[in-house]
Every structure is written in C-alpha cells, then in structure tokens.
C-alpha cells in the first residue's frame, strides 16, 4: 500500500488541487460564516 | 410549432407581470385611503409569495420542457387551460383579499376565517397547477418513449423533480382547504382542528419554499454555465442534489412548528435532524457553482488564484442578478439553519428575523435569479436581442433591489433577535419598527418599479 | 460520480459542522431539558375556566416555593389576562426577582396567538385547545415586553404586557 509509486499520484492530485483552490477558499469562507453565525446566536440563547 | 410555443410562454410570463404590476401598484396606491395594514400584508404575501412565484415557475418550467423535450399542440392547449384556471382562482382570492373579506395573511391560519370564495380560489390555483404538472410529466414520458435508453435532459429531469415535489406538497394544502376550510367557512362544521390545519399547511409550506428555490438551482446548474461560456461541473452530481432536495424537503414542515404545543419534543428533534439533511445538497451546490466559475475562468487562461473570479461577466445582468442571489443565500441559508435549531427557534420564531430570512432567501435568492432568467429567457423565446441599454437598465434595477433588500433584511435580523415581532403594525415600544415600516414602503416602491419595467424586456 | 478532493474536504467540514450543531442542541435538549415548549395537555377552549390553572382567581403571578413562581395567563383577542391585584384592578406587569424560576402557562379561548417575552427565551405559540407551558430562569434584570407575535386579527398589535425582573 505504501509503495504504490507515490510520485505520479502526487503530481496528479497536485494538478487537481491547483485547479479548484479558489473554489475551496470560497466555500470554506462560506462555511466559516455559517459556523460563526450559528455559535453567535447560540451564545445569545445561553445568555438569556 | 416552436413559434406558437414561444408566443404562449411569453404571453404567460408577460401576462403574469402585468397582473403583478397592477397588484403591487394597487397595494402601493390604495394604502393611504385607510385600508387596513393587514389587508395590504395579505396582498403582499399572497401575490408575491404564492401567485407571482408559482406563475413564473410554471411558465419557466414549461419553456424549459418545451426546449428540451418538446411540447405538442394538445399539450399547449392544456397548458392554456391550466393558466386560465389558475388565473381565475387568483382573481377570486385577490378580490376577497382586496375587499377586506380575507385579511388572513398568506398562511391563512385557522381559526381566522375568510370568505369561502377565498378558499375556492386557492383550490382552483392548485388544480390549475396540477394540470401543468400532468402536462410536464406527459412531455417527459413521450420523450422517453421516443428516445429509449437515453438519459433524460438535465433540465427536464430537474423540472420533473420539482413538479413531483409540488404535487406531493400541495396534496397537504388541498386536503386542508377541501376537507377542513371550505366546509367550515360555509358553516357545515362548527369547529376546525387548528393544530392539524397548521401541520397540513406547513407540510405544504416548506416544500413550497423549496419549490421556489429549485428553479433557481436549475438556472445555477444549467443556465449560468451557458451564460458565462463554461459547462456544468458534473451532471450526475446535480441530479443527485435534486434527488436529495426532493427527499428531504417533504417531511420537514414541522420545523415551522417548533414552538407549538401539542407536538412531542422528540418528534420535533427528529424533524430538526431531517431539516439539517436538506442542507447537504445545498453544500454540494455551493461547491459546484464556484467550481464551474473557476474551471471556466481557468480554461480562458486566468491562472491566478482569484483571476477567474474577477473576470466573470459582471456587466451582464443575466449573470449579475443570479450571482447576487447566490451570495444572498449564504446568510439566508445560515439563518435557516439557526431557525431550524430546535430550542434556538424560540429566539427568532415569529420575530421579524424570519421576515428578514425569507427576504434573503425568497426575495433575493429566488427572485433575483428569476430576474436574471427573464433577461435570458425572453430574448431567447421571442428571438429578440438583449440590447446594451436594456442590459444596463437591468443592472441598475438589480442593484437597487439588492441595496434595498440588504438594508431591510439586515435591520430585520437585528431587530428580530431583539424580539421585535413580525406581522404587526406596531409603533409603541420598538423604536426600530417605524424605521422598518419606512423601509418596507421603500421596498414596495422598488418592487413596483422593478416589475413595471420587466415586460419591456 | 467522483468527488474532487477539495469537494470531499468541504463536504466533510460542512456535514461535520451540522453534526456538531445537532450534538450541541441535542445535548442541551435531552440532557439539560431545554426543549422548545412542547406541552401535550389539551383543554376545552369553550371552557378554559374549568381548568384549575385558569380559574379567574388563579390567573397571574403566584409564588409556589422559595424563588419559584407560576404565571397563568389567558390570551384572547386582543388581551393578555394577567389577573387582578388586591384592589381588583387588572394587572399589566409581572414582577419577579432576578434568578427566580418562572413557569408560564398560557391558553386561549379563541384564535391562535403568540406569547413572547422579548429579550428572553420564552416564545411559544398559543393555540385554542392546547396549553402552552415553558419554565425558565430569569437570569437578567430589566423590563421585558410580552408581545403577541402571531397575527390574531385586526387589533393584534394592541396585545401586550410586561415582565419586570428586579435585583
Ligand atoms: C438552508 C435552508 C433553509 C432552512 C434550514 C430554512 C429553515 C427555516 C425555518 C426553520 C423557518 C421557520 C422559522 C420560524 O417561523 O420559526 C423558516 C421560515 C421561512 N423560510 Fe426558510 N429555510 C431555508 C431556506 C429557505 C428558502 C430557500 C426559502 C425560500 C426560497 C425560505 C423561505 C422561508 C419562508 C417564506 C419562511 C417563513 C414562513 C412563515 O411565514 O412563517 N427558506 N425557514
Ligand atoms: Cu421550511
Ligand atoms: Cu396577535
């Protein structure tokens, strides 16, 4: 399993990662907004 | 044949807009003459929430079906029937509302009672829409018979999913109106089961809001890529997302009843879990859309991290309006998750936060996408071109709409967290309420402007 | 249908967040007992006075134990009945000390109403035929407005009351 020629695999995944890096950052930003607003309102719930 | 078909759809869309214009206007202009706030609110909710969306969506879906799988003469005739029946129902309900005999708001919760004609009108709208559903199913069926073994076109597939959802959902409201409301409003039954009528309403109401959302998703998945000159990331992922949306939209109406008595807490929690499941296909959609943008941009040679983003066709209203809609769905969806979070619902339920939520999701996400679609669809159908002037007009309209909605919905969210109620023409203690009323006037104006200019495209 | 690596990470993150949300509220609900109000008891809306809690003399605030209170309320278009004071005048403000545990019990003889104490977690639907109950600790002092937040007819916005929490 470990010796399954890591090199070509590396370049391949590298290629596809570069491809959608911007997308990834964008969606993660969206995810952070989702999580932050949820916990914000939950804190308000606890404080009341 | 294609020509006839074109006439039909543009008439449908155009007719709808004309209709709307009148109603929005009458809402705007008659207000000073002492008409009750709740009458206006009912008009606003019924016309914009139930009528405009449904007409637009059905018209849009017909044109998609016509384009992808074809429409026969017989089907077109039937489609007209559907249109006239829905229109008749709409007029019946609207007259009752406008004459103050049905100030029950668009949710028409029992035991508030409206004139029987109001309920008959609603029943007609639904029956009309079922005819449309039947035609759409038949269109796909005929296509499949003619093209055995082939995968159905993506857009036809999506329309069919949305229509399946609509039928299943509207059964709830049909049962509620026919079995509970009509006998009761005619006086045959003395009482009405309030909790049951609410549950039936929301069994319909939640899929209803997804019935507004899915056409926007259709555009995002299948039309926007064409406009920006790219292609969809994955056909099969889009299909999967639609299936999931269908499955999880149906059983979750109870998330509108989280603070109600008479419903078991564990059952509510199960509904909360199911509601969260429906978020998953939306997460998939978010990735798909950005990835489509990025792939398209990179193929065009913009290789920097966000170069593809800057080079999107911002000056094209057919892209800009739906894009703003997508962005609005980020806070809209995040807010929805908060709404659905079981005990946290008490923080926002029936506060004006909810109004903020659905102006983000419905009035921005769906409606702005519909605007964008209209600018794509109408020239497409009529063979006319979207002139640069019109495009500019469209952009200005989209931006005005956005700014108005943004200010309004932000104010609503904050005020809602502070406990400000929705559906009240208060002025007493909540200082923000006045500001809000003011802004909602603003919005009414904007929407009036907005719609009046649409048919010209 | 193969997912891109980033899409996988994104979905794991997204679904993971949802799972965390559910775990947090599930724990709070099932172990700490902070379910939204879900009282199952029914009542005859034509005759709410027949119920012990909604007899005219039992309406309003009552101290049931040290630091523990019950407030019984009948909501009707367009009024909250919070009982009468010693002089027979209608009560419009409920006063409780900070930190007290208060159980609100509300019902209605007519249409659907809301019952929200703005600025607290008390927010319930009140429906004919059902009793709505919610127990809460008044953690913060101040004045909180009781509002009807479900449209109940033409005078809906005239329906309100007040809760005062003092030190
Ligand atoms: C992430 C997706 C969404 C979730 C989890 C969600 C959840 C909710 C919940 C729980 C409520 C009830 C709030 C309350 O009254 O206590 C609500 C209200 C509402 N939502 Fe959403 N929502 C989502 C997306 C949408 C979309 C896409 C639309 C429309 C296009 C929409 C339209 C509405 C409307 C109109 C209401 C108000 C219903 C009323 O009159 O009471 N929502 N939403
Ligand atoms: Cu919903
Ligand atoms: Cu009310």
């Amino acid at each position: 399993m470990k010796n399954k020629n890591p090199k070509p695999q590396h370049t391949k995944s590298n290629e596809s990662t570069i491809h959608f890096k911007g997308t990834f950052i964008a969606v993660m930003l969206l995810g952070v907004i989702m999580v932050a607003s949820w916990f914000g309102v939950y804190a308000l719930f606890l404080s009341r | 044949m294609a020509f006839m078909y074109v006439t039909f759809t543009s008439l449908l869309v155009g007719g709808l807009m004309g209709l709307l214009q009148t109603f929005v206007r009458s809402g705007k202009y008659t207000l000073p003459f002492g008409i009750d706030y709740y009458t206006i609110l009912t008009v606003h909710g019924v016309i914009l929430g139930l009528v405009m969306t449904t007409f637009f969506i059905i018209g849009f879906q017909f044109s998609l079906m016509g384009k992808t799988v074809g429409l026969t003469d017989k089907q077109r005739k039937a489609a007209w029937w559907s249109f006239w029946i829905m229109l008749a129902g709409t007029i019946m309900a609207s007259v009752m509302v406008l004459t103050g005999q049905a100030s029950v708001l668009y949710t028409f919760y029992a035991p508030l009672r409206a004139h029987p004609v109001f309920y008959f009108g609603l029943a007609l709208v639904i029956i009309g829409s079922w005819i449309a559903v039947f035609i759409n199913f038949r269109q796909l069926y005929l296509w499949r018979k003619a093209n055995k073994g082939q995968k159905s076109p993506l857009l036809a597939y999506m329309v069919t999913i949305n229509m399946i959802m609509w039928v299943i959902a509207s059964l709830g409201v049909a049962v509620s109106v026919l079995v509970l409301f009509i006998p009761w409003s005619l006086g045959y039954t003395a009482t009405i089961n309030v909790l049951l009528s609410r549950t039936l309403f929301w069994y319909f109401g939640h899929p209803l809001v997804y019935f507004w959302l899915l056409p926007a998703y259709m555009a995002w998945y299948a039309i926007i890529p064409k406009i920006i000159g790219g292609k969809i990331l994955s056909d099969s992922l889009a299909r999967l997302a639609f299936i999931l949306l269908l499955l999880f939209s149906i059983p979750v109406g109870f998330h509108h009843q989280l603070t109600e008595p008479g419903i078991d807490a564990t059952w509510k929690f199960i509904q909360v879990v199911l509601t969260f499941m429906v978020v998953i296909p939306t997460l998939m959609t978010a990735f798909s859309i950005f990835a489509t943008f990025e792939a398209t941009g990179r193929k065009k040679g913009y290789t920097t991290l966000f170069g593809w983003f800057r080079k999107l066709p911002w000056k094209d209203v057919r892209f800009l309006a739906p894009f703003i809609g997508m962005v609005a769905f980020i806070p809209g969806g995040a807010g929805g998750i908060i709404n659905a979070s079981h005990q946290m619902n008490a923080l926002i339920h029936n506060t004006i936060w909810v109004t903020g939520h659905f102006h983000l999701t419905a009035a921005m996400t769906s409606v702005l996408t519909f605007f964008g679609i209209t600018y794509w669809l109408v020239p497409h159908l009529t063979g006319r071109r979207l002139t640069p002037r019109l495009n500019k007009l469209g952009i200005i309209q989209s931006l005005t709409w956005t700014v108005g909605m943004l200010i309004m919905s932000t104010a609503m969210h904050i005020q809602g967290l502070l406990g400000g109620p929705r559906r009240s023409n208060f002025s007493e203690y909540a200082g923000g309420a006045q500001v809000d009323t003011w802004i909602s006037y603003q919005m009414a104006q904007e929407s009036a402007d907005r719609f009046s200019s649409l048919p010209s495209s | 249908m193969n997912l891109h690596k980033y899409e996988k990470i994104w979905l794991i993150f997204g679904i993971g967040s949802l799972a965390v949300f559910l775990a947090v509220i599930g724990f709070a609900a099932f172990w700490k007992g902070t379910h939204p109000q879900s009282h199952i008891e029914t009542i005859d809306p034509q005759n709410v006075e027949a119920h012990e809690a909604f007899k005219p003399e039992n309406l309003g605030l009552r101290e049931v134990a040290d630091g523990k209170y019950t407030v019984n309320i009948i909501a009707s278009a367009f009024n909250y009945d919070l009982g009468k004071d010693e002089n027979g005048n209608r009560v419009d403000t409920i006063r409780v000390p900070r930190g007290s545990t208060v159980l609100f019990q509300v019902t209605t003889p007519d249409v659907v109403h809301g019952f929200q104490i703005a600025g607290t977690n008390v927010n319930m639907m009140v429906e004919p035929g059902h009793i709505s109950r919610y127990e809460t600790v008044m953690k913060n002092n101040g004045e909180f407005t009781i509002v009807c937040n479900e449209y109940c007819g033409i005078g809906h916005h005239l329906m309100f009351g007040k809760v005062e929490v003092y030190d």
Side-chain angles (χ1 to χ4, degrees), chain B residues 8 25 65 78 83 85 87-88 119 135 147 153 159 173 177 183 203 231 253 280 341-342 373 437:
Chain B
F8 157 68
R25 289 217 163 165
M65 292 300 273
F83 175 73
I85 291 176
L87 192 64
Y119 302 116
I135 301 166
N147 300 272
V159 170
V173 81
V177 168
Y203 168 82
K231 67 179 199 357
I280 296 170
S341 294
H342 205 52
I373 292 175
T437 330

Side-chain angles (χ1 to χ4, degrees), chain B residues 110-366:
Chain B
L112 296 172
R113 196 191 295 230
H115 194 280
V117 170
F118 175 79
Y119 302 116
F120 276 116
L122 290 183
L124 279 186
V125 172
I126 289 170
I127 291 168
S129 75
W130 283 349
I131 298 178
V133 170
F134 178 77
I135 301 166
N136 284 159
F137 288 171
R138 174 119 191 117
Q139 283 172 288
L140 185 65
Y141 171 76
L142 289 181
W143 186 92
R144 296 201 69 131
K145 234 171 64 179
N147 300 272
K148 278 221 167 67
Q150 280 186 47
K151 208 164 158 187
S152 49
L154 179 62
L155 278 168
Y157 172 90
M158 289 171 158
V159 170
T160 308
I161 294 261
N162 204 24
M163 283 311 215
I164 293 175
M165 190 167 81
W166 175 254
V167 173
I168 298 176
S170 56
L171 280 177
V173 81
V175 168
S176 168
V177 168
L178 293 177
V179 178
L180 297 178
F181 279 93
I182 288 183
W184 170 72
S185 72
L186 290 172
Y188 294 145
T189 49
T191 56
I192 184 162
N193 186 331
V194 173
L195 189 64
L196 180 63
S197 75
R198 293 170 66 87
T199 299
L200 284 172
F201 181 85
W202 286 116
Y203 168 82
F204 160 74
H206 180 75
L208 169 70
V209 311
Y210 272 75
F211 178 73
W212 302 337
L213 183 66
L214 293 203
Y217 276 21
M218 293 173 199
W220 297 355
Y221 272 116
I223 297 173
I224 295 287
K226 282 185 201 154
I227 291 171
I228 65 171
K231 67 179 199 357
I232 184 171
L233 181 70
S234 161
D235 180 278
S236 46
L237 270 180
R239 284 173 203 251
L240 176 68
F242 266 67
I243 282 283
L244 292 176
L245 284 164
L246 170 65
L247 287 180
F248 291 116
S249 288
I250 288 167
V252 297
F254 281 98
H255 69 212
H256 295 264
Q257 300 185 289
L258 290 172
T259 64
E260 286 186 35
I263 301 168
D264 186 62
T266 307
W267 174 241
K268 286 180 182 171
F269 193 79
I270 293 171
Q271 291 281 316
V272 170
V273 176
L274 289 173
T275 303
F276 277 36
M277 305 289 269
V278 85
V279 178
I280 296 170
T282 291
L283 298 177
M284 291 165 55
T285 305
F287 191 94
S288 260
I289 289 166
F290 278 113
T292 304
F293 293 165
E294 185 162 8
T296 310
R298 284 182 189 275
K299 209 186 263 147
K300 288 185 183 161
Y302 305 109
T303 49
T304 53
L305 188 53
F306 284 110
W308 52 273
F309 188 74
R310 263 187 284 125
K311 296 295 176 193
L312 285 166
W314 299 110
K315 295 214 166 87
D316 185 342
V317 65
R318 297 168 308 167
F319 170 76
L320 182 68
F323 182 83
I324 298 172
M326 296 168 192
V327 174
F329 201 45
I330 298 172
I337 298 171
I338 292 169
N339 294 348
S341 294
H342 205 52
Q343 63 275 55
M344 277 159 78
N345 182 257
L347 226 51
I348 53 81
H349 178 66
N350 271 358
T351 69
I352 201 159
W353 159 293
V354 175
T355 321
H357 162 69
F358 67 71
H359 280 87
L360 279 179
T361 50
M364 299 258 309
T365 305
S366 299

Side-chain angles (χ1 to χ4, degrees), chain A residues 3 9 20 32 34 42:
Chain A
N3 291 340
Q9 208 164 19
F20 287 127
V32 169
M34 174 178 93
Y42 187 65

Side-chain angles (χ1 to χ4, degrees), chain C residues 27-102:
Chain C
F27 176 75
F30 289 97
W31 278 270
K32 300 281 184 185
T34 63
H35 280 294
Q37 85 108 352
S38 301
H39 195 52
I40 302 287
E41 192 179 338
T42 54
I43 187 172
D44 177 7
Q46 250 86 53
N47 193 13
V48 292
E49 293 84 6
H51 192 283
E52 182 64 25
F54 301 105
K55 288 199 164 71
E57 65 272 22
N58 290 342
L59 292 180
L61 181 73
R62 278 186 305 161
E63 185 161 14
V64 289
D66 208 23
K68 281 197 96 153
Y69 298 84
T70 302
V71 183
N72 297 328
I73 299 159
I74 295 180
S76 61
F78 304 99
N79 174 49
Y80 289 116
D81 191 343
L82 304 173
K84 297 218 172 15
D85 64 14
E86 310 85 70
N87 307 324
N89 297 323
R90 57 164 277 162
V91 174
D92 55 12
T93 305
I94 301 284
R95 291 193 179 78
V96 290
R98 186 153 73 112
S100 42
T101 305
V102 187

